[in-house]
Amino acid sequence: GVTQSPTHLIKTRGQQVTLRCSSQSGHNTVSWYQQALGQGPQFIFQYYREEENGRGNFPPRFSGLQFPNDSSELNVNALELDDSALYLCASSISGQVYGYTFGSGTRLTVV
Amino acid sequence: AQSVTQLGSHVSVSEGALVLLRCNYSSSVPPYLFWYVQYPNQGLQLLLKYTTGATLVKGINGFEAEFKKSETSFHLTKPSAHMSDAAEYFCAVGGGGGNKLTFGTGTQLKVEL
């Protein structure tokens, strides 16, 4: 399956954070979603073969990386209080949304 | 653009009663439709999906949903609620070659004795 780390973390406003995701074996696409409290997940961006392949309505301080070994990162710079959320990673084959497998998420709290 | 509306942010049913969670979608292309369940402090688990073909879709844990194009709906049902069904449920739409899912705001299901 898809594993995410860490499961929880607390950061201070203005800091930077890196969240990690290990995709399901054989999947070449990773998508990241932000789920604020009481809301549905919102698409941040997708990476396919190590290149960004679509982005939602998120500022450039949200960035990502995808590595050849099925792992990926979500980086957020200059953290704001509103960045507090559950961040979900989903892997799939060639970006096919009907084949998403979600991880359990990382709960980020910004204070 | 695609969007999802889930009617009722909170639904309460008695154990053994019918579960009906409502979802309406908007899509300019033939949609793929999904229902996910989320338990506290966990990620999303796929209940069922519609891509093409039969419009009545059966999923896990006794849930099913029917794609009604004329009504732009994809309501989730279960004949008899169980205490373990208490969770948050999200309807989502994708498709048209797009690479993302658009989720509704969720429905919290409470099951009472």
Side-chain angles (χ1 to χ4, degrees), chain A residues 67-88:
Chain A
F67 303 102
N69 64 352
D70 296 336
S71 66
S72 60
E73 292 180 353
L74 164 65
N75 298 288
V76 187
N77 293 322
L79 284 167
E80 301 177 0
L81 296 179
D82 285 347
D83 295 333
S84 296
L86 179 69
Y87 289 84
L88 296 165

Side-chain angles (χ1 to χ4, degrees), chain B residues 89-107:
Chain B
Y89 292 80
F90 292 95
C91 181
V93 62
N99 57 2
K100 68 173 186 177
L101 292 179
T102 300
F103 287 84
T105 53
T107 297

